[in-house]
Amino acid sequence: MIGFFIAGILHELLPEDFIKKHLGKGNFGSLIKATIFGIPLPLCSCSVVPFIGALRKQDANKGAVLTFTMATPITGIDSILATYGIFGLFFTVYRVITSLILALVAGLLSIIFNGKDSKEEIVLKTNCSSSSKLCDFHYKEETLLKTNCCCSSKSQERKTFSLKRALKYGFETLFKDIAKPLFLGIVIGSLITTFIPQNLETFLRENALFSYILVLAVAIPMYVCATSSLPIAASLIIAGVPVGAAFVFLTAGPATNAVTIGVVDKILGRRTLFIYLATVVIGSILFGVFLDSIFEVQGINAKEIVHLEEVSNPLKVLFTGFFLILLSINLWKIRREKSPKMGS
C-alpha cells in the first residue's frame, strides 16, 4: 500500500517529456540516465510498451530504450517495497542491483553491436479509453500490432502537483493495471504451495539447472509484473525450488513477455531483440547460480527468508483490509468493462 502511494507521487512529479529529453545520445551516460529514470517509475512490463515507440520517436538511442525497457518493470518503487516485505533487505538489494546490471549490459551491447543508430520513422498512436485497453502501434512498414496492455504511461501535461491525481494514479490506475495479474499470482502461488509434490524438492535441488530452464520457459512469454510475481516466487521457494530459480523467475518474468518481445522486435530490430533475450536468459541464470552459492556457503535456509507469517499487527490488518477491498473493487471494474453491455 505504501508502494502504491509513493508510485502515485513519483508519477506526478516525473513528467514523461523530461525522461525522453535525456536519452538521445548513444553513450554510456544515456544508459545510466535510462536506469536512473527507470528505477522509480511505477510501470509494469506491459505499460512500458508505449514508451518504447515514444522514446524512439523522440530520438532516444536503442541502447537507452532497451535499458529503460528492462530496468523499469523490475525496479518500480511498489515492487521494491513489496520485495522487501516478503523477502527481506538482502534479497531486495540483490534483486535491484542485479536487475540494473543486466539492463546496463543489454543497453551497452546494443550500442556496440548496432553501430550507428539511425532514427526510424515511427508513429505511435494509443487508444486508452476505459472501454478498450488497446495500444495501436503504426510503423513505416505499415504494420499494425495490437496488444492488450495497460496504457498507464499515457502522457499528460501537468503544471502543478496534485495530490488527488497522485492518489488516483497510485490506487486507481496503477492498481487496476496490475489487479488481475496480482490476483492470479496469489492464486498460482497458493496452488504451487498446496499441490507441488513433496519429493520434487530433492529432485530440483539436485538438478538446479533444470529448474532454471523450466522457470525461464514459463517466465519469458508470461505476462507477470514485478509485484504479482512475488507470491509465485515465494511459493516456489516454500515448495523447495532453489532460491536461484525463484530469482530467475523474478527477473525474467517482469523483464519480458510476449507483447514486449514483439514490440522490441518491430521497433528496435531483430539484433536488439536477440541481445535483449540473451541478456535476460544468461544473466538471470548466472546471478541465480551466484545467489544459490551465497546461500550454500553461508548456510542460509531459503525458506527462512520468506516472510508470509500470519498477520497479527493491527496496522497490518488494517492495510490488508484496504488492500483486499481495492483488489476486489478493481477486479470487479475489470470484469464489468469486459462484459458486453446489456441490450447492445
Side-chain angles (χ1 to χ4, degrees), residues 180-239:
K180 185 176 179 179
L182 180 57
F183 175 74
L184 292 176
I186 295 172
V187 172
I188 293 172
S190 301
L191 293 175
I192 291 173
T193 304
T194 305
F195 295 108
I196 194 169
Q198 294 298 318
N199 59 354
L200 190 62
E201 178 176 353
T202 303
F203 173 79
L204 291 176
R205 289 191 179 280
E206 294 176 352
N207 300 272
L209 184 59
F210 173 79
S211 65
Y212 294 159
I213 295 174
L214 182 63
V215 167
L216 281 170
V218 175
I220 288 178
M222 181 181 181
Y223 171 65
V224 54
C225 61
T227 304
S228 62
S229 65
L230 293 172
I232 300 177
S235 299
L236 288 172
I237 294 176
I238 292 174

Side-chain angles (χ1 to χ4, degrees), residues 85 307 309-323:
H307 304 292
E309 72 279 357
E310 294 184 7
V311 177
S312 56
N313 185 300
L315 188 61
K316 289 185 177 180
V317 172
L318 179 64
F319 276 98
T320 301
F322 285 141
F323 173 82

Side-chain angles (χ1 to χ4, degrees), residues 16-24 58:
E16 296 168 12
D17 290 343
F18 174 80
I19 298 170
K20 296 172 186 175
K21 291 177 182 178
H22 290 79
L23 305 182
Q58 295 288 332

Side-chain angles (χ1 to χ4, degrees), residues 68-106:
F68 185 86
T69 302
M70 289 181 60
T72 304
I74 307 177
T75 59
I77 188 66
D78 53 327
S79 67
I80 291 175
L81 292 178
T83 303
Y84 172 74
I86 296 178
F87 295 103
L89 180 61
F90 171 76
F91 192 94
T92 302
V93 173
Y94 187 84
R95 184 189 185 195
V96 173
I97 292 177
T98 54
S99 299
L100 299 181
I101 291 174
L102 291 178
L104 286 171
V105 168

Side-chain angles (χ1 to χ4, degrees), residues 51-338:
F51 269 87
I52 301 174
L55 289 171
R56 285 295 287 161
K57 187 180 178 183
Q58 295 288 332
D59 290 330
N61 71 84
K62 289 183 179 181
V65 175
L66 185 59
T67 297
F68 185 86
T69 302
M70 289 181 60
T72 304
I74 307 177
T75 59
I77 188 66
D78 53 327
S79 67
I80 291 175
L81 292 178
T83 303
Y84 172 74
I86 296 178
F87 295 103
L89 180 61
F90 171 76
F91 192 94
T92 302
V93 173
Y94 187 84
R95 184 189 185 195
V96 173
I97 292 177
T98 54
S99 299
L100 299 181
I101 291 174
L102 291 178
L104 286 171
V105 168
L108 185 60
L109 291 175
S110 178
I111 290 176
I112 293 173
F113 289 103
N114 278 313
K116 187 177 180 180
D117 188 10
S118 59
K119 180 185 175 184
E120 300 173 14
E121 183 183 351
I122 301 171
V123 180
L124 176 65
K125 178 183 177 182
T126 61
N127 177 9
C128 297
S129 62
S130 59
S131 61
S132 177
K133 295 290 183 180
L134 292 180
C135 296
D136 300 335
F137 299 88
H138 297 271
Y139 310 97
K140 64 179 181 179
E141 302 96 327
E142 298 183 356
T143 303
L144 174 65
L145 172 64
K146 290 186 177 181
T147 62
N148 288 314
C149 65
C150 39
C151 299
S152 57
S153 55
K154 180 180 178 182
S155 180
Q156 300 178 13
E157 292 184 2
R158 302 187 181 97
K159 295 182 179 180
T160 58
F161 175 83
S162 170
L163 180 61
K164 181 179 179 180
R165 279 200 305 262
L167 294 175
K168 183 176 181 180
Y169 179 84
F171 292 103
E172 183 176 320
T173 304
L174 179 61
F175 205 114
K176 185 179 177 183
D177 284 346
I178 71 170
K180 185 176 179 179
L182 180 57
F183 175 74
L184 292 176
I186 295 172
V187 172
I188 293 172
S190 301
L191 293 175
I192 291 173
T193 304
T194 305
F195 295 108
I196 194 169
Q198 294 298 318
N199 59 354
L200 190 62
E201 178 176 353
T202 303
F203 173 79
L204 291 176
R205 289 191 179 280
E206 294 176 352
N207 300 272
L209 184 59
F210 173 79
S211 65
Y212 294 159
I213 295 174
L214 182 63
V215 167
L216 281 170
V218 175
I220 288 178
M222 181 181 181
Y223 171 65
V224 54
C225 61
T227 304
S228 62
S229 65
L230 293 172
I232 300 177
S235 299
L236 288 172
I237 294 176
I238 292 174
V241 174
V243 65
F247 169 82
V248 169
F249 180 82
L250 285 173
T251 302
T256 65
N257 63 66
V259 172
T260 310
I261 290 172
V263 175
V264 169
D265 184 26
K266 290 290 183 181
I267 296 181
L268 302 182
R270 188 63 51 87
R271 183 178 300 175
T272 303
L273 174 64
F274 177 79
I275 293 172
Y276 167 50
L277 294 177
T279 304
V280 170
V281 171
I282 298 174
S284 62
I285 289 179
L286 290 177
F287 282 123
V289 171
F290 184 64
L291 184 62
D292 276 336
S293 66
I294 293 176
F295 273 61
E296 184 177 352
V297 170
Q298 297 296 325
I300 302 174
N301 183 352
K303 295 182 181 181
E304 294 179 356
I305 72 168
V306 180
H307 304 292
L308 292 177
E309 72 279 357
E310 294 184 7
V311 177
S312 56
N313 185 300
L315 188 61
K316 289 185 177 180
V317 172
L318 179 64
F319 276 98
T320 301
F322 285 141
F323 173 82
L324 292 175
I325 291 172
L326 284 173
L327 183 62
S328 300
I329 290 174
N330 283 287
L331 288 173
W332 177 74
K333 287 182 179 179
I334 294 171
R335 180 178 178 83
R336 186 181 62 177
E337 290 175 358
K338 290 185 175 181

